[in-house]
Amino acid sequence: METFDVRRRRWPFVLMALGAIGLALSGAAGGAARATADAAAQAARLASEGQFGASIALENQIATRTGPLFVMDHADVTAAPQRSQATLLTWAAALAHAGKPDQAAVLLANVTDPGLLGSAARERATLFLTAAQQDAAQGDFADALLRLNQITELQPAASIAAEVAQLTPQYEVGEAKALTAAGNGVDAVVLLDQAAAAAPSQDSAVNQALPAALLTAAKQEMNLLSLKEAATTLQRLRDNFSGTSEARTARQLLRQNQPVTGTLVDKSGHPVKSQVRLSSHYYTVSGGYYTTGPFYYSSSNDDGAFDFSSIPVGGPYTFEVFRGGNWMTFVDPNTNEPANPVTVTPLTPVDMTYVALP
């Protein structure tokens, strides 16, 4: 009986021990909650002082506080990720105000909270629009157009999209003028054509810029030996802007004499040295033919090569060889017309390759 009584007396001690543990855990949880609340307050203070990076780091650390000790600070822990993202927005706005739009845009791109995504997208679009306008005001239309393209990729609100659509042709004209001044007429013409297609309201500005751009583009194409493209560009300039000084230059270039070259050989392919000429007109008559001038003269050398250095645009010219004291014309017996007609087109040298004596 005495042993039984001792066992019964032990229960109060067990309960007291458990109560002490509960009080300790409660005190620890309360302390953890106070520490978390203090950390959240510190994060807010850091953000208000402009120490955004430190504030975000602290909020991210608060978000990791989980487990039984932190059961009493659930609200602060749950709200920490969103507070961190909101601080990102505030930081981005501060950078934008300080004239650092690219750094601000990087921060905004890191906003992932669903409740803040819309705000971040609007901020980025507004940020790029402001930066584009600032670039354009400084004459940097290339960067301004890049900013507008970045806005378009964000699929912005209708109001911002409308402003982008209005500014883009204006900036394209500005960039086209800069490209023309730098000698890049080809890209300038592309931009001007885009501006004209997108905004008829820009026709006047486009038409003022196009003559210089077209002439620059044609010269650029000539330097690259893209002669067909150069001729097309000059013809467009001549036809569409006939009263401009650039069109007068275009007409001169399109009328510019061109070289005619080739090699004279006999039936066996051996080179022939002889006088040669191009006649301007060929006429058939009863029993034969005759040619008239203006005549253009040259000679083939020991290798048979000949070169008429400057032949006016036009034709067809008739190729003739001086043989046996007379000028001989190669005539196609099927057509009774010259066998080697030469037509000179604008900006295009003519290579007759091999001309074989009959």
Side-chain angles (χ1 to χ4, degrees), residues 1-13:
M1 295 296 292
E2 186 174 343
T3 302
F4 177 76
D5 290 340
V6 171
R7 287 182 179 179
R8 292 191 61 182
R9 292 193 191 96
R10 288 179 180 175
W11 281 107
F13 293 105

Side-chain angles (χ1 to χ4, degrees), residues 70-208:
F70 299 101
V71 69
M72 296 179 66
D73 60 354
H74 181 71
D76 280 327
V77 172
T78 302
Q82 188 176 40
R83 289 199 304 266
S84 173
Q85 296 271 287
T87 302
L88 270 180
L89 288 176
T90 305
W91 193 359
L95 286 171
H97 184 73
K100 300 177 180 178
D102 292 311
Q103 295 180 34
V106 170
L107 290 180
L108 290 171
N110 285 295
V111 174
T112 58
D113 186 276
L116 299 174
L117 281 176
S119 297
R122 286 191 297 273
E123 288 294 331
R124 290 180 73 192
T126 302
L127 182 66
F128 287 140
L129 182 59
T130 301
Q133 293 168 328
Q134 291 172 345
D135 289 337
Q138 296 172 3
D140 187 356
F141 293 100
D143 277 349
L145 287 170
L146 177 62
R147 303 293 190 187
L148 296 185
N149 288 335
Q150 290 173 319
I151 296 172
T152 301
E153 292 172 359
L154 294 174
Q155 299 180 334
S159 59
I160 293 182
E163 194 162 0
V164 168
Q166 181 182 12
L167 291 176
T168 298
Q170 298 176 29
Y171 293 173
E172 286 174 336
V173 172
E175 176 61 6
K177 291 179 179 178
L179 288 171
T180 299
N184 186 355
V186 173
D187 288 341
V189 170
V190 171
L191 284 176
L192 290 171
D193 286 344
Q194 289 178 182
S201 61
Q202 291 296 307
D203 283 351
S204 176
V206 168
N207 288 336
Q208 288 178 3

